Amino acid sequence: MIDLYTAATPNGHKISIALEELALPYTLHALSLPDNEQKQPWFLAINPNGRIPAIVDREADNFPVFESGAILIYLAEKTGRLMPGDARGRSLVMQWLMFQMGGVGPMMGQANVFHRYFPEKIQPAIDRYQGETKRLFRVLDGRLKEHEFLAGDYSIADIANWAWVRTHRWSGVEIDDLPHLQRWLDTIGARPAAQKGITLPPSSLDLGNAGGDKARAFAEQARKMVETGQSRQSGA
């Protein structure tokens, strides 16, 4: 029913987790970002922005959807799951989904670049993006102090935020002082769909683990992409 074009990144994992949660049949197509597969003409016909993830809904006359948040909304509306049907409940989910799309993802992404990948250590930039990431984590922790999940029942908002927050060590940000956020991470991490989703496609490195030789090798590959300017051409 669904063709998923993806790679082993937090944005990609959002969609594999959601598809597993929804038990929708799908075919996974793993793209090699270092090889710029996401910039090939055949993929640009699916996503003109040349970034992963993207889906094609074969059941809906081969309808393509790109941008991870838009894909999550499409899948939730298609199935009537992972998002409430009433206006207030839907708005809550959308607010916390946009919180991830506009805040958590971009700030953690920049923290990753300057903390892990950039050839020079520019400490003010590292401090800026790690500090803003930690501030956003405190917002999540405050919300989760009073709520089991971000927007009522477990939803696409939780999936989107969890796929990024679980990689906090890769961004160089600890959460030992945020117990409600940690509880939420553990709760979702125990879900079979989340456990499976973060392994699709298979990767030599789990970004939830920030150390070891594999982490150094992964960072070095990403650093080369930054140094050569390929990061401006690749999806993440």
Side-chain angles (χ1 to χ4, degrees), residues 20-233:
E20 291 294 326
E21 290 282 3
L22 295 168
L24 284 173
Y26 68 99
T27 301
L28 186 147
H29 306 273
L31 275 64
S32 173
L33 304 187
D35 293 330
N36 275 336
E37 285 191 78
Q38 71 282 2
K39 296 301 180 180
Q40 296 302 309
W42 68 267
F43 185 70
L44 293 174
I46 297 170
N47 179 2
N49 196 34
R51 301 176 78 86
I52 64 93
I55 66 169
V56 174
D57 188 347
R58 300 300 181 192
E59 188 182 57
D61 196 25
N62 295 329
F63 182 63
V65 187
F66 64 93
E67 289 296 322
S68 60
I71 297 170
L72 288 173
I73 295 167
Y74 179 82
L75 294 174
E77 292 182 339
K78 177 181 178 71
T79 60
R81 295 174 57 199
L82 296 177
M83 185 164 62
D86 64 290
R88 179 171 174 172
R90 186 178 188 277
S91 178
L92 276 175
V93 169
M94 296 291 283
Q95 289 172 58
W96 287 104
L97 175 62
M98 295 305 118
F99 179 84
Q100 185 280 307
M101 298 293 298
V104 172
M107 292 302 103
M108 291 186 73
Q110 291 300 315
N112 293 345
V113 167
F114 287 103
H115 175 60
R116 294 278 180 182
Y117 310 144
F118 206 70
E120 302 173 49
K121 290 297 181 185
I122 305 175
Q123 199 59 46
I126 295 172
D127 294 343
R128 153 68 176 153
Y129 291 113
Q130 288 181 339
E132 181 62 7
T133 295
K134 188 60 178 278
R135 185 192 72 80
L136 294 168
F137 286 178
R138 292 192 188 101
V139 174
L140 291 171
D141 188 70
R143 174 68 175 178
L144 294 164
K145 181 179 181 180
E146 304 295 337
H147 301 83
E148 182 180 9
F149 298 109
L150 290 173
D153 293 334
Y154 179 66
S155 72
I156 57 173
D158 296 290
I159 291 173
N161 281 278
W162 184 84
W164 274 95
V165 176
R166 64 175 291 271
T167 69
H168 63 92
R169 291 189 183 91
W170 191 252
S171 302
V173 180
E174 294 297 334
I175 62 168
D176 294 343
D177 57 336
L178 303 175
H180 312 294
L181 185 63
Q182 185 63 66
R183 184 268 309 161
W184 171 84
L185 280 177
D186 293 342
T187 297
I188 297 176
R191 298 179 70 93
Q195 293 173 1
K196 184 174 181 181
I198 60 173
T199 69
L200 300 171
S203 174
S204 62
L205 176 70
D206 177 3
L207 291 178
N209 181 359
D213 292 340
K214 290 181 178 180
R216 285 188 288 273
F218 182 93
E220 180 61 26
Q221 182 184 63
R223 184 176 299 114
K224 290 177 180 178
M225 292 174 66
V226 171
E227 290 175 338
T228 60
Q230 291 179 26
S231 62
R232 293 191 296 271
Q233 302 175 359

